[in-house]
């Protein structure tokens, strides 16, 4: 399951855990974001050893800016609060490969 992050403090808390965290930076108006969302849900059931979250860039612009997100969707993978991979665009194969490489 992909959980929504509601605040900057929630974001800081969820990425600081000692396991892989996949964050989907999206916008509700973004067509490619809507297209890839079901695939990310599927990955969340496939890769249960990772946590999956999404950040609405319009609701949390400061978090998006801090993470240098300039286009949607952007997927940033974290371990212990540090980014370990980044995929820009609706590329399910690249997201899956980034997850598999960092588990």
């Amino acid at each position: 399951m992909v959980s929504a992050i509601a605040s900057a403090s929630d974001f800081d808390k969820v990425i600081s855990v000692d396991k892989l965290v996949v964050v989907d930076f999206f916008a509700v108006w973004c067509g490619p974001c809507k297209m890839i969302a079901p695939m990310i849900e599927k990955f969340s059931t496939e890769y249960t050893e990772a946590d999956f979250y999404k950040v609405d860039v319009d609701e949390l612009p400061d978090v998006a800016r801090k993470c240098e997100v300039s286009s949607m969707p952007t997927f940033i993978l974290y371990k212990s609060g540090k980014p370990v991979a980044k995929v820009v665009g609706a590329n399910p194969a690249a997201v899956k490969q980034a997850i598999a490489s960092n588990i």
Side-chain angles (χ1 to χ4, degrees):
M1 182 176 168
V2 180
S3 303
I5 295 176
S7 69
S9 62
D10 283 351
F11 175 79
D12 291 337
K13 195 182 320 170
V14 301
I15 67 164
S16 66
V17 298
D18 191 27
K19 68 190 281 190
L20 184 65
V21 177
V22 180
V23 182
D24 173 4
F25 291 87
F26 77 103
V28 291
W29 46 263
C30 164
C33 298
K34 291 177 187 166
M35 281 182 5
I36 198 169
M39 292 298 299
I40 302 306
E41 283 288 344
K42 182 174 174 264
F43 294 160
S44 75
T45 60
E46 255 178 69
Y47 296 99
T48 54
E49 55 272 75
D51 289 340
F52 288 76
Y53 294 94
K54 58 186 177 180
V55 170
D56 184 331
V57 298
D58 292 325
E59 288 184 14
L60 297 176
D62 293 343
V63 172
R65 199 169 16 263
K66 182 176 98 173
C67 297
E68 299 176 359
V69 172
S70 56
S71 59
M72 278 66 69
T74 293
F75 301 89
I76 303 178
L77 286 66
Y78 294 90
K79 271 190 180 172
S80 303
K82 306 249 185 295
V84 294
K86 184 176 191 174
V87 176
V88 179
N91 185 339
V95 173
K96 185 173 186 162
Q97 201 276 322
I99 294 167
S101 298
N102 287 287
I103 288 242

